[in-house]
Amino acid sequence: MSDIKKLAGQTLWYGVPTIVTRFLGYLMNMALPFLFAQPARTADISQVYAIIPFLNVLFTYGLETAYFKFSQDRDKNHLYNTLSVSLLVSSILMITVLYLCRGAIASAASLQDHPEYVTWMCGIIFFDALSTLAFAKLRQENRPRRYAFVRLSGVLVNLLVIITFLGVLPGYVSRNPDSPLRMIQNMNIGIGYYLIGNLLGSLATLFLLLPEWKTIHWEFDKPLWKEVMQYSYPLIIVGFGGMINDMLSRLVYQHVVDLPAEQAKHELGIFANVYRLSVLITIMIQAFRMAAEPFFFSQSKNEGAQKNYARIMKFFVLACCFMFLLIGLYLDVLKWIITLKSKAWGEGIYIVPILALGNIFLGIYYNLSIWYKLTGKNLYGAWITIGGAVVTIVLNMLLIPKLHYLGASLATFTCYLLMMVSSYVLGQRFYPIPYARKKLLAYLAIVSILVVAHRGLLQLYSPIWFSILTGTILLAGFTLFVARVEKREFERLNLPFLRKRPSPSG
């Protein structure tokens, strides 16, 4: 159990910057309904942030996972040098092509009104790509504290820019109309400061990672690089497929929905904001992945590794279930917050539980996917992801025109469900792990029923105080249920707060 406690501790450290990063980003996104009354004004920025993940996959081409894999039996410094040289050269070449094609990209993405967004996007992608292996090095060396410091610093720079130029500056200029700062306000950058803040945050992050870059020696082992590429190229397909599954609905929404352009932008703005309400699930997934990937590789040769993986899956699913309940049972609170300025922002709130449950399936898939990474059968992962991408494309094209937000959310849900099931079936064939399948399915079914029952109660009586009260009761009930069912498992973890205290003498 010490291994699981170690993973939990590392997940916490990786989770702190991830949670704070996502939470601050979430607050910035939550601020959109207060800064912009009309959701349509946020559609362009949503489009940019739907493009960035695709390009991040292309720029990093699986090097992060390959670094963890090959560092188990190769000279780590030599490997790091070779992959860093590869990353630097490829990033310079690709960003040059991207920058030269920025006009065509702006046109294809319907960003003709803001071509500067594409230029700023190029900078974000370039700096983030160069930070990839440095962050992987910190994770592989089990240095989560430095990882957390660098991540948080970049986010704080991002946040400071946005608060200054969108929160503080407009009010200051209105009170001091003769201030020279009015020139900045007159530039009318508006929501573009989200990208500028991101760009400066990415640059600050790279600057703080200079100590990791200074350890690089200019050496390039071509045979080693070819071996790494043989391992990692299927991961590019996995990455692209994953981005299609995650981002396609937002990327194509306004192009396939049968609405006038302005109304389509309105719905895209709402859908993108509603999608972010499942952030608690994605926080859990990302924090876990940061710690789990190097951990799984390091544990793969240990006796009883599969049993540990099964226990880790159970704790992961339990954590996701609690996150799901926090979202689903307090949905009215979230709706109340985002609709304080404009009721329009709450139109698509009903799809949030569907998206959240779909993201749990995605998290389970990521956990399951360790089988093909450990066995080197990455092509299977590529085929699973391609299958998911085909399902996503077909369902988005069929359902968005008819069901709008609901169609997009059902496409996401179905895709991740099929990927999860496919990965489980293939994983049990090539790398059997004794997952507590029935218990995990039961937990997922219970939390789904609780959320549906809660929504049913609110159809009868809907004051927000009643929603909060009944939601809290249901959450407490599930907590007590899990504590009872998993009592022995928690006791085996030997957590301080579960230890029996000695009775006072005398």
Side-chain angles (χ1 to χ4, degrees), residues 174-212:
S174 66
R175 293 190 301 270
N176 302 274
D178 297 328
S179 170
L181 293 176
R182 175 171 287 279
M183 295 176 59
I184 298 176
Q185 189 69 12
N186 289 340
M187 294 171 67
N188 197 28
I189 293 175
I191 199 172
Y193 281 115
Y194 273 71
L195 284 171
I196 293 176
N198 195 337
L199 175 61
L200 295 177
S202 297
L203 180 59
T205 297
L206 183 61
F207 176 77
L208 291 173
L209 290 171
L210 284 180
E212 280 65 42

Side-chain angles (χ1 to χ4, degrees), residues 95-331:
I95 202 64
T96 301
V97 173
L98 195 64
Y99 182 77
L100 293 175
C101 297
R102 65 192 185 281
I105 295 171
S107 178
S110 301
L111 295 170
Q112 298 93 328
D113 294 338
H114 296 285
E116 70 277 10
Y117 286 4
V118 179
T119 302
W120 299 335
M121 180 188 74
C122 290
I124 293 168
I125 293 165
F126 181 69
F127 295 134
D128 284 350
L130 294 184
S131 300
T132 301
L133 279 178
F135 274 128
K137 189 173 190 290
L138 293 177
R139 290 165 59 195
Q140 199 277 330
E141 294 175 350
N142 292 324
R143 298 170 62 193
R145 291 173 177 81
R146 174 157 169 74
Y147 178 97
F149 168 74
V150 177
R151 281 288 189 199
L152 289 176
S153 298
V155 173
L156 290 175
V157 170
N158 186 358
L159 183 63
L160 183 62
V161 171
I162 293 172
I163 291 175
T164 300
F165 290 99
L166 285 179
V168 177
L169 187 62
Y172 176 82
V173 170
S174 66
R175 293 190 301 270
N176 302 274
D178 297 328
S179 170
L181 293 176
R182 175 171 287 279
M183 295 176 59
I184 298 176
Q185 189 69 12
N186 289 340
M187 294 171 67
N188 197 28
I189 293 175
I191 199 172
Y193 281 115
Y194 273 71
L195 284 171
I196 293 176
N198 195 337
L199 175 61
L200 295 177
S202 297
L203 180 59
T205 297
L206 183 61
F207 176 77
L208 291 173
L209 290 171
L210 284 180
E212 280 65 42
W213 271 92
K214 288 180 179 178
T215 63
I216 298 171
H217 293 90
W218 191 266
E219 58 177 335
F220 185 76
D221 186 332
K222 189 174 180 180
L224 174 61
W225 181 81
K226 286 183 176 180
E227 192 175 349
V228 169
M229 290 301 101
Q230 186 69 26
Y231 174 85
S232 67
Y233 84 85
L235 298 178
I236 302 174
I237 302 173
V238 171
F240 268 120
M243 290 305 104
I244 289 173
N245 299 332
D246 188 31
M247 294 292 178
L248 184 75
S249 56
R250 281 163 283 176
L251 196 60
V252 304
Y253 193 96
Q254 62 181 326
H255 304 289
V256 300
V257 71
D258 188 18
L259 291 171
E262 191 62 25
Q263 181 64 20
K265 282 183 176 289
H266 171 84
E267 287 201 359
L268 174 60
I270 293 172
F271 176 61
N273 193 62
V274 166
Y275 201 101
R276 298 180 190 109
L277 293 178
S278 59
V279 70
L280 287 174
I281 301 294
T282 56
I283 283 173
M284 178 65 205
I285 293 170
Q286 187 172 347
F288 176 79
R289 289 184 71 194
M290 291 294 102
E293 196 163 42
F295 176 85
F296 282 153
F297 279 114
S298 65
Q299 293 291 311
S300 60
K301 296 179 181 178
N302 293 351
E303 185 178 351
Q306 284 92 334
K307 289 184 179 180
N308 273 343
Y309 296 159
R311 290 195 182 101
I312 289 167
M313 172 69 89
K314 180 165 62 176
F315 288 117
F316 175 80
V317 169
L318 280 173
C320 285
C321 284
F322 279 104
M323 295 291 189
F324 177 71
L325 289 178
L326 286 172
I327 293 171
L329 297 179
Y330 296 99
L331 197 59

Side-chain angles (χ1 to χ4, degrees), residues 355-385:
L355 291 170
L357 190 56
N359 274 287
I360 290 180
F361 296 154
L362 176 63
I364 295 172
Y365 165 74
Y366 283 140
N367 206 318
L368 292 168
S369 68
I370 194 61
W371 71 265
Y372 64 74
K373 294 177 182 177
L374 289 176
T375 59
K377 298 182 182 296
N378 292 338
L379 274 176
Y380 282 94
W383 282 115
I384 292 172
T385 310

Side-chain angles (χ1 to χ4, degrees), residues 372-434:
Y372 64 74
K373 294 177 182 177
L374 289 176
T375 59
K377 298 182 182 296
N378 292 338
L379 274 176
Y380 282 94
W383 282 115
I384 292 172
T385 310
I386 290 171
V390 171
V391 170
T392 299
I393 293 169
V394 171
L395 290 183
N396 272 294
M397 297 302 176
L398 291 176
L399 298 180
I400 289 178
K402 297 178 180 179
L403 302 176
H404 298 226
Y405 316 123
L406 180 60
S409 62
L410 289 174
T412 298
F413 177 91
T414 305
C415 164
Y416 292 151
L417 174 61
L418 293 176
M419 288 176 62
M420 176 185 71
V421 173
S422 300
S423 187
Y424 173 78
V425 172
L426 289 171
Q428 293 304 99
R429 176 183 173 188
F430 292 107
Y431 191 81
I433 296 175

Side-chain angles (χ1 to χ4, degrees), residues 64-83:
E64 191 177 36
T65 301
Y67 177 69
F68 295 136
K69 168 70 174 177
F70 285 84
S71 62
Q72 300 304 307
D73 52 14
R74 304 298 174 90
D75 182 274
K76 293 181 178 63
N77 292 329
H78 186 60
L79 175 68
Y80 183 64
N81 292 337
T82 296
L83 298 188

